[in-house]
Amino acid sequence: VFPGVRQAQWLTKTKLVEGLPPAVQGIMDNPALGLQELEERAKHMVSHARLWDTADVAPRRERYCPMLFENLIHICRLMSGKFPSLSKRMLARNCRIAATWERESILLQVRGLSGILMNSMTPIPPVASKEEILATKEHVLETFYPIAPTIDLQEVNVYKELNDTGQCFRDGYPYSHPHTLFFLESANVRTDRFRPEQLRAKMLMFAFGNALAKAKALHGNDPKVLEQPVVVQSIGTDGQLFQFMVFQLNTTDLVSNDGIKNLVWIDSDQNLYERAQCVPEVKKRVVTKPAGISGFQPDTFKKFLALYLHGTV
């Protein structure tokens, strides 16, 4: 159970920054990249996923959510003509992750399937400067007293402290750096899907887990402030509403609340479109709502694309 981002922040010793970091915003705002030229294609891909991919009157979320994701990734890949290094990426599905750390006197572990993971040959450079990282020393983490910050977490006996980046990063694997995690909340029944706040907490825990496992693979298990922080991004969607996240692991010294903290930038609840009308709505022989996609939000698409391009452009 992931009750929320505030709890995830305490568990991962992380300071939250609202919105996307300047490095990503800069990609979105750069006219030379021609992102706006792909807007029409993105709108077309939304129509394809929501309206044309099935003979059903209204396609089910478990079908259109993954279809929309594949369509958006396809558009992103078109940029590899301009940026050949984008072809040095690999999508890994059903990747398992296990990462173990100590927080105060509690041994914690995040493990399980970490969505769809895009790996890269090169890491994303740090998004926070040395000064910004040092400034996190002043940040005071929220406590939940008298409630234990581990409330709702599943308690298990740990016989082996695993730090495993899964099959994705076996020795010699060329795409050895985690880049972006994608979480598709595609269950048809609403109660089977994570609510947006729960999804953001899950995204943070797994971005942190992947970054921590990678940092330990690179630098060993001794807790330390990292000379070269590890950046892992995360995108979550239910096929309409998107959550964007950039996580920077600055330290693996997680026991105490003192010292340098990790950083996460979150851009929450961004609609890609307002409504998908599969058949026109007619009242008294007048079409009140025509069939099609309404309220397409190009900026949400640009954020998806900017996170994909981040670290290359």
Side-chain angles (χ1 to χ4, degrees), residues 154-168:
Q154 185 184 355
E155 206 167 307
V156 293
N157 292 320
V158 175
Y159 300 106
K160 190 178 177 191
E161 289 186 29
L162 284 174
N163 288 292
D164 179 17
T165 51
Q167 290 301 308
C168 305

Side-chain angles (χ1 to χ4, degrees), residues 35-53:
L35 305 195
Q36 60 280 4
E37 294 162 22
L38 296 171
E39 282 174 22
E40 209 49 48
R41 193 184 285 258
K43 193 174 177 182
H44 177 83
M45 290 300 200
V46 173
S47 296
H48 173 259
R50 288 299 317 254
L51 308 175
W52 306 330
D53 180 55

Side-chain angles (χ1 to χ4, degrees), residues 65 68 183-186 199 235-243:
C65 180
L68 179 64
F183 292 97
L184 308 184
E185 283 299 305
S186 55
L199 178 57
I235 297 175
T237 184
D238 63 1
Q240 181 176 10
L241 191 69
F242 282 73
Q243 317 293 335

